Amino acid sequence: MYNNKSRALLAVISTTVLSCSSLVASAAVSEKEAARLQRDLTPLGAERAGNAAGIIPAWTGGYTQPIPGDVAGGRRSDPFKDEQPLYTITVDNMNQYADQLTDGVKAMLQKYPDSYHLNVYPTHRTASAPQWVYDNTAANAIRATLDGHTLKGAYGGVPFPIAKTGLEAIKNHILGWAGSSWEVMLTQYQITSNGRSVLTTEGSIRQNMPYYFQDGSVDNYDGMYWEINLTNVGPPIRAGEMIVGRDNLDADKSAAYVYLTGQRRVRRLPNACCDTPAPATAGLMSFDEISVFSGRTDLFDWKLLGKQEILVPYNQNRFLQYSEDQIITGQHLNPAAVRWELHRVWVVEATLAEGKRHRVPKSKYYLDEDTWQAVLGDRWDGKGQLWKTLWGFNYVMPDFPGTIRQTFGYYDLLSGEGYVANVLNDQEFHHRPTNRWPTNTFTGQGLAAQGVR
């Protein structure tokens, strides 16, 4: 028979057990549910079927054949270059499409009524990935878990192809298929409030995504998922600067280093995350605005708001065909160079967690169902004003294969400024796959050896 003391002790034990259980939230689905990845869902977790209106087609394997005009390791062509816009959305007819537009897109149409518009093209579901990525994704579906905000038991594929929560969905974005190793030559531009574009960065980026090393496994994986080395060759004031970084699933194990020519030494960046200005963007974007969202998730509570059909920038090979002096017109990208398509996206809301600090207490991210990439994002300031609207471009790259994210940026709806990162247009090659880069390419010690000039 329990006395009052026993009941109290049992209550304490029960509370403790529930508390501990909440720290290790099992997110894997049953084998029966995971089998949907072979039936009504794509191997990465999207709906295979098209939409009821027939505008979004069924997924049939993605775009995996060479694009006519592509040169291996060179510039990329547009697989849909002969298509014309189906219609154009302006401030005058935007209400007709209101349920397919994000708050940020609506705000841009209203802020720049004489110049900003959306050219809407037919939807193509080009997303693909290697079979081994599909196989790993199926395995992840029944083994991946979250220990707080740290991912466990996933490797080489989308962690949560049948996502149940906002945190799982944003982890899928961070760890979406983007290849294993690659390099780009690029430029980056600030857009000033009076409509001038200013070159801030010219250089090269080498990257590894160790999470997608084909010869690795969940058993020997050390948690490093993204490695980057940016070398600046211009503008002259920034020539010679170098930045390296390695991100780990355990955010406390991530590290970034910078070499500044004026100081002639390598130093570790003390807080290379979150709302800290990122040197790679001349300090004009925060670390977690790279690729619409990147980095730590533990500052926010994440809510999965559901799936919507909205107009998003997609299959942007058309953009690559424009020269860099053509891509920015006034306070935004040249609308003629941007391709918009109707896609299904997951909508994820991030609100600042209790006790945490961030300049942006609320955001929404729009994740493409086929790739899990965040293709649009909106951020609100502490006064509740819609502050920034972010965008990310993906390109059809059958050689990976995949529809891979690369160029990204934002518009500041309050100041009228903007930023365009990772512009590839005028380069000799557009995002080419490479052999694996040595680890010391991305470490502080390796940077010390590379940065001496």
Side-chain angles (χ1 to χ4, degrees):
M1 177 180 292
Y2 291 119
N3 55 30
N4 290 339
K5 187 174 182 180
S6 299
R7 290 191 184 94
L9 179 60
L10 182 61
V12 170
I13 293 173
S14 300
T15 301
T16 302
V17 169
L18 288 172
S19 177
C20 291
S21 298
S22 67
L23 294 178
V24 183
S26 177
V29 301
S30 67
E31 291 189 14
K32 181 179 180 181
E33 188 168 10
R36 294 182 60 199
L37 299 173
Q38 309 298 322
R39 299 196 310 268
D40 59 308
L41 301 181
T42 72
L44 300 184
E47 296 174 52
R48 285 182 186 261
N51 70 344
I55 298 173
I56 299 174
W59 183 84
T60 57
Y63 196 109
T64 58
Q65 300 301 311
I67 300 172
D70 268 10
V71 177
R75 297 174 60 83
R76 296 182 180 278
S77 301
D78 180 3
F80 311 118
K81 63 181 180 182
D82 295 329
E83 291 185 348
Q84 298 298 315
L86 298 172
Y87 55 94
T88 296
I89 298 176
T90 69
V91 69
D92 295 326
N93 65 356
M94 61 179 284
N95 289 339
Q96 182 181 345
Y97 305 95
D99 59 349
Q100 297 176 352
L101 303 175
T102 63
D103 291 340
V105 171
K106 291 176 186 174
M108 286 296 293
L109 288 164
Q110 292 167 331
K111 189 173 182 67
Y112 304 107
D114 297 328
S115 60
Y116 193 75
H117 59 267
L118 281 60
N119 286 338
V120 182
Y121 290 80
T123 298
H124 296 280
R125 299 182 68 181
T126 54
S128 61
Q131 184 59 49
W132 59 269
V133 172
Y134 294 155
D135 294 341
N136 284 335
T137 299
N140 290 342
I142 57 175
R143 69 187 180 191
T145 61
L146 284 169
D147 181 357
H149 283 253
T150 301
L151 178 65
K152 307 282 187 180
Y155 184 80
V158 171
F160 306 107
I162 306 176
K164 305 291 188 182
T165 70
L167 182 56
E168 292 175 9
I170 203 68
K171 292 289 185 184
N172 289 347
H173 156 68
I174 293 171
L175 293 168
W177 164 246
S180 301
S181 301
W182 63 91
E183 66 177 337
V184 295
M185 301 287 291
L186 55 80
T187 53
Q188 305 193 115
Y189 295 91
Q190 176 188 13
I191 302 175
T192 67
S193 59
N194 62 2
R196 290 194 310 120
S197 57
V198 179
L199 177 69
T200 65
T201 305
E202 181 180 8
S204 62
I205 291 181
R206 292 170 280 175
Q207 293 181 87
N208 279 338
M209 202 160 183
Y211 179 82
Y212 280 108
F213 287 165
Q214 188 176 357
D215 58 357
S217 74
V218 70
D219 296 324
N220 59 24
Y221 178 49
D222 66 0
M224 290 294 177
Y225 69 87
W226 187 50
E227 299 174 323
I228 182 171
N229 177 310
L230 168 62
T231 302
N232 283 347
V233 297
I237 195 173
R238 301 195 63 203
E241 290 181 7
M242 300 182 72
I243 301 164
V244 299
R246 304 181 77 207
D247 278 350
N248 195 291
L249 296 179
D250 181 347
D252 292 334
K253 297 179 180 177
S254 299
Y257 299 84
V258 61
Y259 174 81
L260 300 175
T261 54
Q263 300 178 358
R264 296 184 65 81
R265 66 184 179 90
V266 173
R267 65 182 177 88
R268 180 169 178 168
L269 294 174
N271 188 30
C273 77
C274 316
D275 57 2
T276 301
T281 64
L284 295 169
M285 297 188 78
S286 64
F287 273 99
D288 63 5
E289 290 174 339
I290 293 172
S291 298
V292 182
F293 180 82
S294 61
R296 304 184 72 114
T297 58
D298 57 355
L299 297 187
F300 300 98
D301 295 323
W302 298 86
K303 186 176 182 180
L304 191 61
L305 299 183
K307 192 180 281 188
Q308 283 184 243
E309 296 178 3
I310 65 169
L311 291 162
V312 297
Y314 211 100
N315 295 323
Q316 294 295 346
N317 296 53
R318 175 184 180 82
F319 182 78
L320 294 175
Q321 314 314 311
Y322 283 72
S323 63
E324 292 187 13
D325 60 1
Q326 296 175 318
I327 61 170
I328 298 173
T329 53
Q331 289 90 350
H332 49 71
L333 294 177
N334 179 357
V338 182
R339 180 186 179 98
W340 295 81
E341 296 183 5
L342 187 70
H343 283 262
R344 286 184 292 241
V345 301
W346 289 103
V347 185
V348 178
E349 183 179 79
T351 54
L352 192 62
E354 186 175 351
K356 301 294 185 180
R357 190 210 64 80
H358 194 286
R359 291 196 301 160
V360 180
K362 176 185 171 183
S363 302
K364 279 186 183 177
Y365 301 102
Y366 301 87
L367 315 183
D368 165 42
E369 69 162 346
D370 285 330
T371 62
W372 292 98
Q373 298 164 5
V375 284
L376 290 173
D378 290 335
R379 302 191 118 186
W380 284 262
D381 68 8
K383 297 179 181 178
Q385 303 173 100
L386 181 56
W387 179 15
K388 291 182 177 179
T389 184
L390 300 106
W391 50 268
F393 284 178
N394 57 33
Y395 302 109
V396 184
M397 302 185 189
D399 46 336
F400 275 79
T403 299
I404 308 292
R405 64 189 180 198
Q406 183 51 261
T407 309
F408 57 89
Y410 74 85
Y411 302 122
D412 187 323
L413 294 162
L414 301 180
S415 72
E417 298 176 335
Y419 197 75
V420 186
N422 292 16
V423 176
L424 317 178
N425 298 44
D426 286 353
Q427 308 301 326
E428 295 180 359
F429 61 90
H430 294 157
H431 193 123
R432 64 186 177 194
T434 65
N435 294 326
R436 185 180 309 178
W437 299 100
T439 299
N440 64 7
T441 307
F442 311 102
T443 64
Q445 188 174 13
L447 180 57
Q450 300 167 56
V452 178
R453 60 180 299 216

